[in-house]
Amino acid sequence: MTLPDTAPTPPGADRTFQVDLRGLVDLLSHHLYSSPRVYLRELMQNAVDALTARHALEPAAPADAFGVRLYADGSVVRVEDDGVGLTEADVHSFLATIGRSSKRADRIAEQRGDFIGQFGIGLLSCFLVADEIHVLSRSARTPDAPAVEWRGRGDGSYTVRTLPATARPRPGTTVTLTPRADAGEWTRPAPVHALARHFGSLLRHPVTFDDGTGGSGAGTGGPGVSVNPEPAPWARTYPTPGARSRALAAYGEEVFGFKPLDTIELDLPAVGLKGIACVLPETVPAGRRHGHRVHVKGMLLSEQAEEILPEWAFFVRCVVDAESLRPTASRESLYEDDTLAAVRDALAERLRAWIARAAASDPELLHRFLQAHHLAVKSLAVHDDEILRMLLPWLPFETTDGHTTLDEFARTHRTVLVTSSVEEFRQVAAIASAAGLGVVNGGYTYDRELVHRLPEIRPEATVADLDPATLTAHLDPVDRETELAAAAYLALARDTLAVFDCDVALRTFQPVSAPALLIDSREARHERTRSQLAREQEGGLWGDILGALRQEAPRAQLILNQLNPLVRTAVSIDEPELARTSAEALYGQAAMLSRRPLRPAESSLINRSFLDLLAHALRKDS
């Protein structure tokens, strides 16, 4: 909060920036910090950093010799620590200059990795809830050091006084805020205690809270209630591995609100990271990423840190505490650097190892996991050969034999056919199944690519794309006499359906209940659309472009089933208009059974053919 120099400045001389503190606080509240509640985290963070420096100064002191005490009674919020404290020079240097941090001092520069905060602007967050900040500090570096009082106000002014050592008998710092009336949501006793627990439950230094009631006032407990009574669950000792596993699962349920399918311990000594990954018990929508709970040196940094894991790992939620991850300026997310990239890769490897262990030693757990998260595993298997070899035979796919694993399906069908779309699979599934063909729905994300890699795992299996020619080759032709008898009807049907670029053929196939099969790929429909546009734009630049793109695409095929009684009746119709109407009705019914979106002309045809057949039936009855 450097104040402007009011003395005249010679022309051309260097000048210093003048800071509008209110404008800066507004910038922090709207663009840097997500909520005013971070003020308490910043105060606790400064206190913990001061304790870290005190322990460096007095390494022989017991770990719990120094602590942090919080107080909130509705009229003030106070944070007191037994840390290294500040001298008067420190106060002028670090509290009166925006952007400078005591943690940048040369004497502790080499120890910066031990500190949480590294940006020197945390104290300004207090102006989000108060108009005045009072700091009383006494340095532990100098015996008999005096106490120093600093008062900063929201208008950018401040005062500094040196007081007798008796004003603060012990070294350390006390920060006191008088909250504004509109900040009660964050400064009343209950919210302060809840925020302290939220941000500081895993801190390694003792932190206590006092609400000033001497009892359990405001629902927060009595004076000196511990904010972090126990170490992190992964840092505790347990009588048995089973007890440890249950305790970690219970902690995951407490943090995330669901009972994990399993918990995976995470331990990366190189960056001082420990924690757990909780496997979600239910399916997660594809591409949906959950945020993870990340602590840095015990202080909660973020509950929505997506960047800690790769995108494919959306089947877990993590809670971790790390030493060496670098926070951003707001200290609410992680800075993307080489260390974070290495951590992400290492955690991904831990998840792969868990999947491998489940596949090797716990088939029941693997089955439950794949039931819920097969899509996540498929996305991983596409890029990870080891996971592919381990899990491809176990992964479920939609096939003409129902939902089954590729391993099971390949035992029944030596040649595995795969469709390119869900629509194509639905068109042919019933007919292909009746013809004894083994077809896998390759229309879902990753499925087609994975099915084509089956021979890498099962060399005896053959995989091929399903095309209309493959399917029609497995439909039995009718005898010559039957085809000649139906020739007139087939010619009229082709003429009627020419507007849809559809050919008509007569075959026999199962099931008998299916009167017709429409085979029409999406690519063929797109090519016909391009051709139509080219014809409409013939002679123009756009028409030339579309004409250049045009390819010879197979026409749609309406295959009539001679075994079906309705078809046998239809091909014998000798009344031209009724024959046309029946052909339109058979096409419309086959189009609907294909489950693809109907074009407007097809919807109109279905309505018209139904009404025409109804009118014919009524005339016949009358």
Side-chain angles (χ1 to χ4, degrees):
M1 282 166 252
T2 302
L3 295 181
D5 186 355
T6 58
T9 304
D14 287 344
R15 299 174 182 267
T16 58
F17 285 104
Q18 297 184 25
V19 177
D20 177 357
L21 187 58
R22 290 190 184 277
L24 181 58
V25 170
D26 182 71
L27 179 68
L28 295 180
S29 62
H30 288 95
H31 299 285
L32 184 63
Y33 295 123
S34 61
S35 164
R37 68 177 186 166
V38 299
Y39 84 92
L40 189 66
R41 183 197 64 194
E42 297 291 342
L43 290 178
M44 293 172 65
Q45 203 158 268
N46 288 341
V48 170
D49 285 341
L51 293 181
T52 302
R54 180 78 181 270
H55 276 289
L57 190 67
E58 304 176 33
D64 59 353
F66 311 124
V68 179
R69 293 168 293 283
L70 310 178
Y71 177 88
D73 63 1
S75 60
V76 298
V77 175
R78 188 163 60 242
V79 178
E80 181 179 3
D81 67 69
D82 302 316
V84 71
L86 299 170
T87 64
E88 182 177 358
D90 291 336
V91 167
H92 282 290
S93 181
F94 303 129
L95 299 188
T97 304
I98 294 173
R100 183 176 294 180
S101 170
S102 63
K103 293 172 281 291
R104 290 193 176 96
D106 292 340
R107 61 181 176 269
I108 57 173
E110 71 277 5
Q111 299 173 348
R112 283 184 62 182
D114 295 334
F115 298 94
I116 302 170
Q118 297 185 26
F119 294 89
I121 59 174
L123 194 63
L124 289 181
S125 66
C126 296
F127 286 120
L128 300 176
V129 297
D131 287 325
E132 183 174 289
I133 305 172
H134 176 255
V135 178
L136 182 64
S137 187
R138 182 181 172 192
S139 176
R141 299 183 184 280
T142 305
D144 302 321
V148 183
E149 178 191 66
W150 178 90
R151 289 183 184 272
R153 288 169 286 276
D155 61 5
S157 62
Y158 70 94
T159 59
V160 178
R161 290 195 304 163
T162 300
L163 303 176
T166 54
R168 199 183 195 289
R170 300 173 60 190
T173 301
T174 302
V175 180
T176 304
L177 310 179
T178 302
R180 293 194 303 269
D182 62 354
E185 178 184 0
W186 310 111
T187 58
R188 289 192 297 268
V192 170
H193 182 254
L195 289 175
R197 286 280 299 163
H198 179 72
F199 289 121
S201 62
L202 298 187
L203 287 172
R204 293 86 183 266
H205 301 285
V207 182
T208 58
F209 175 77
D210 180 0
D211 65 2
T213 65
S216 56
T220 62
V225 172
S226 179
V227 167
N228 52 342
E230 295 182 297
W234 46 82
R236 304 173 203 163
T237 56
Y238 300 91
T240 64
R244 181 180 183 85
S245 178
R246 288 189 294 272
L248 294 179
Y251 180 73
E253 185 173 4
E254 176 188 345
V255 170
F256 296 123
F258 64 83
K259 186 175 183 179
L261 184 66
D262 197 16
T263 55
I264 307 164
E265 285 208 55
L266 306 174
D267 186 3
L268 303 178
V271 292
L273 183 147
K274 290 180 178 291
I276 57 172
C278 298
V279 182
L280 289 152
E282 296 178 349
T283 303
V284 181
R288 177 181 173 186
R289 298 184 68 185
H290 286 290
H292 306 289
R293 192 178 176 96
V294 175
H295 299 251
V296 174
K297 303 177 182 68
M299 183 69 74
L300 178 63
L301 180 78
S302 174
E303 297 175 276
Q304 299 297 325
E306 294 181 356
E307 61 274 14
I308 196 76
L309 287 180
E311 289 186 13
W312 56 260
F314 53 79
F315 56 88
V316 296
R317 293 193 70 182
C318 293
V319 52
V320 299
D321 185 21
E323 294 286 337
S324 301
L325 293 179
R326 180 181 172 190
T328 59
S330 67
R331 291 191 281 276
E332 295 185 316
S333 58
L334 295 171
Y335 188 83
E336 188 69 46
D337 57 11
D338 291 343
T339 300
L340 180 58
V343 166
R344 186 164 47 237
D345 291 343
L347 293 180
E349 187 56 39
R350 298 296 187 276
L351 299 185
R352 290 190 187 94
W354 175 82
I355 294 174
R357 285 196 303 273
S361 60
D362 198 337
E364 182 184 350
L365 174 61
L366 180 67
H367 176 70
R368 287 188 287 132
F369 170 65
L370 291 179
Q371 270 190 320
H373 301 297
H374 59 272
L375 184 59
V377 177
K378 286 178 179 179
S379 70
L380 178 57
V382 166
H383 306 290
D384 191 309
D385 290 344
E386 183 180 351
I387 294 296
L388 179 79
R389 287 191 296 273
M390 284 190 303
L391 295 183
L392 183 60
W394 295 81
L395 291 171
F397 290 81
E398 184 179 5
T399 74
T400 47
D401 291 353
H403 282 82
T404 184
T405 65
L406 279 187
D407 195 48
E408 221 174 294
F409 193 68
R411 289 197 194 103
T412 308
H413 305 280
R414 294 295 297 273
T415 298
V416 177
L417 301 172
V418 58
T419 64
S420 60
S421 68
V422 174
E423 173 190 312
E424 184 180 335
F425 177 80
R426 288 171 176 170
Q427 286 180 27
V428 306
I431 310 301
S433 179
L437 296 176
V439 182
V440 179
N441 185 351
Y444 295 116
T445 307
Y446 312 117
D447 282 15
R448 185 164 175 264
E449 185 174 354
L450 288 172
V451 173
H452 272 287
R453 297 190 67 179
L454 178 63
E456 299 176 30
I457 314 302
R458 297 283 181 268
E460 68 277 9
T462 301
V463 177
D465 287 324
L466 177 68
D467 57 40
T470 303
L471 182 62
T472 53
H474 283 78
L475 304 181
D476 296 326
V478 296
D479 59 71
R480 184 172 180 77
E481 291 76 12
T482 301
E483 188 160 11
L484 287 174
Y489 179 85
L490 294 177
L492 187 145
R494 292 186 188 108
D495 181 65
T496 301
L497 300 178
V499 66
F500 299 114
D501 287 323
C502 182
D503 196 6
V504 183
L506 188 64
R507 298 285 188 273
T508 63
F509 54 84
Q510 297 293 334
V512 173
S513 58
L517 169 66
L518 180 62
I519 300 177
D520 190 15
S521 70
R522 183 180 302 175
E523 291 76 12
R525 291 200 304 275
H526 287 173
E527 177 55 34
R528 290 198 297 272
T529 301
R530 281 198 299 267
S531 298
Q532 182 179 354
L533 287 172
R535 288 193 296 270
E536 292 173 355
Q537 300 286 337
E538 189 172 357
L541 175 62
W542 184 238
D544 292 341
I545 294 173
L546 291 173
L549 294 174
R550 184 178 179 182
Q551 301 175 358
E552 288 298 325
R555 305 178 74 195
Q557 284 188 300
L558 179 67
I559 302 176
L560 304 179
N561 186 2
Q562 174 64 19
L563 298 179
N564 182 269
L566 179 63
V567 172
R568 288 203 300 270
T569 301
V571 297
S572 64
I573 295 173
D574 55 11
E575 184 180 336
E577 286 306 314
L578 181 58
R580 287 179 183 278
T581 300
S582 67
E584 290 176 339
L586 287 168
Y587 176 90
Q589 190 257 2
M592 287 192 296
L593 288 179
S594 71
R595 301 186 187 181
R596 65 167 171 79
L598 296 176
R599 291 171 285 179
E602 292 172 331
S603 298
S604 176
L605 173 141
I606 292 170
N607 291 332
R608 184 177 67 249
S609 62
F610 170 76
L611 293 175
D612 288 349
L613 288 174
L614 180 60
H616 177 81
L618 292 175
R619 284 197 305 270
K620 185 177 180 181
D621 288 343
S622 61

